[in-house]
Amino acid sequence: MKDGFPDRAPRYQRNDTLESVLETLNAALAPGAGTLIQDGAQPDGPVGLIVGNPRSGTTLLLQWLGYNGYFSYPTNLISRFYAAPAAGALVQKMLCDPAVRYKDELAEEIAAPDYRSDLGKTAGLLGANPFWYFWRRFFPSEPTNHIPPNRWPADKARRFAAEIASLEAALARPFAMKALCLNWNIAELAGALPNALFFHVTREPVFAVQSLLEARRRFNGDAAAWWGMKPPQFAELLGKEALEQAAATVRLTDLAIEDALDRAPARNVFRVRYETLCDQPETVFENLKSHLRDHYGYALPDAYAGPARFDHTRDIRLSPEEIRRFEAEWALHDRAVMQGAA
C-alpha cells in the first residue's frame, strides 16, 4: 500500500519485507473474505468512532475502551488482515481465547497490552491499532482527507458497514476504532452507520499544538514537514510557518467536527476531554455507561475497574514568542470571526 509519508525518520520507516508479506497474505484472503460478511448487514450494537486531532488522546481513548472490555477493537494482529478482518478476528480468537484451546497446542503466553504508545503505535499482539490499511480500502485520502459529496463512495461505505458488522459478530462485542481519516465526513459516516457513536476527543489547545509540532519533529525530523490528516484547507496551510500550520490545523479540525456533531442526534455523540480522561477516568466511565444504556440499551459493568488515572504533560515547552504566535493564529480561526468574514 502506498506510503503517504515517504520522508519518515529511520525509526518510523516501514518494513518492506513485512509490507510484501501483508500484500501477499491479503491478496490470497480477499476472494474468500465474503463468506464471513452478510451483504447489507449493519452492526447490532453501537459502533465507536473516535474523531479529533492527532496528539489529543485518541489512542489513549481507544486503548481505554478496548483494554477494559467496553468495546472490541482493531488489534495489531487483526490489522494484519486488513482485506479480511473478520478472518483475522477468528485467528485472534483461536490464539487468545482459552475456550477454543485444544491440548495446549497453541498455549503460548499472550502478553496483556499496556497503555504505552508511540505516535499512535502500540506494542504486542493485542495492542490497539489505528487500522489505517482497512480504512484505505474504502475511502480515498488524497488530495486531502475530506471527501466531497459527489465523490462519496456509497457502495464502498455499504460494504464497510457490513465488514464492521462481521467484526462485531466475530468478536462478540460492539466494535470501536479511530476514525480520524474521516473527521470531515461525519455526516456521511453517520448515514452509512446509523448506530455510530462519535467520540470527539479534545485537548487543551496549547498542549495539542505543542504535541503536534513535537510529533512532526520525531516522525519527519522537521517540524515543517506535514504529519497527520490533511484538512480541506491543506493547500492554504502549506503557506504558513510550522507553528501557525499546527495551530490552524488543530482549530479548524475541531471546528469542523463540532459543526457536524452539533447537527447529529444526541445519541450519536459523546464528547471526551483528554485531561478529564487522564485525571478522572471513572467519571468518563460513568457518563459513558449512562449514555450507552439510555441510547443503545448496551450495558457496561456496574463498577469501574480500570486505571485510576493516566499521566499527561502539564509542561508548556513553547517559548513566550511561540505562545504569542499560537494565540494570534488561534484567534484568526475563532468561530465568530470566521462567520463574520463569510
Side-chain angles (χ1 to χ4, degrees), residues 12-230:
Y12 297 103
Q13 288 290 335
R14 285 180 170 183
N15 181 330
D16 290 337
T17 302
L18 171 62
E19 294 297 320
S20 177
V21 169
L22 292 178
E23 287 184 12
T24 301
L25 172 66
N26 283 278
L29 291 175
T35 60
L36 297 172
I37 301 163
Q38 181 182 345
D39 187 42
Q42 282 285 337
D44 293 324
V47 180
L49 297 174
I50 300 170
V51 294
N53 277 287
R55 311 305 300 159
S56 290
T58 56
T59 299
L60 177 62
L61 178 61
L62 179 59
Q63 292 172 310
W64 184 77
L65 291 171
Y67 299 173
N68 286 297
Y70 309 147
F71 285 79
S72 60
Y73 62 99
T75 63
N76 288 326
L77 176 59
I78 291 173
S79 75
R80 265 53 178 176
F81 297 80
Y82 54 82
L90 292 176
V91 171
Q92 178 172 292
K93 182 179 181 68
M94 181 175 60
L95 292 175
C96 303
D97 187 346
V100 295
R101 285 183 179 172
Y102 180 71
K103 295 185 180 297
D104 292 333
E105 289 179 342
L106 299 176
E108 299 298 324
E109 188 69 27
I110 304 296
D114 59 38
Y115 285 90
R116 290 176 293 179
S117 65
D118 180 10
L119 300 186
K121 291 293 188 179
T122 65
L125 214 68
L126 300 179
N129 190 279
F131 221 21
W132 297 143
Y133 282 22
F134 175 73
W135 281 98
R136 290 173 190 162
R137 286 180 47 216
F138 305 96
F139 305 107
S141 59
E142 296 292 343
T144 74
N145 288 99
H146 170 245
I147 305 174
N150 62 349
R151 291 183 57 214
W152 178 254
D155 288 344
K156 287 187 176 181
R158 187 169 178 268
R159 170 72 178 210
F160 171 78
E163 295 206 21
I164 299 301
S166 73
L167 279 164
E168 179 193 65
L171 295 166
R173 189 168 297 170
F175 193 73
M177 57 184 171
K178 293 169 73 168
L180 278 64
C181 54
L182 288 186
N183 278 334
W184 299 273
N185 289 99
I186 286 174
E188 291 86 353
L189 258 182
L193 284 167
N195 265 2
L197 176 57
F198 292 97
F199 290 85
H200 183 199
V201 190
T202 55
R203 185 179 186 180
E204 185 67 31
V206 68
F207 293 119
V209 171
Q210 174 178 269
S211 188
L212 180 55
L213 286 170
E214 292 173 347
R216 287 178 167 202
R217 294 189 189 101
R218 285 165 59 193
F219 190 82
N220 299 307
D222 182 359
W226 195 271
W227 179 81
M229 304 304 159
K230 298 175 181 176

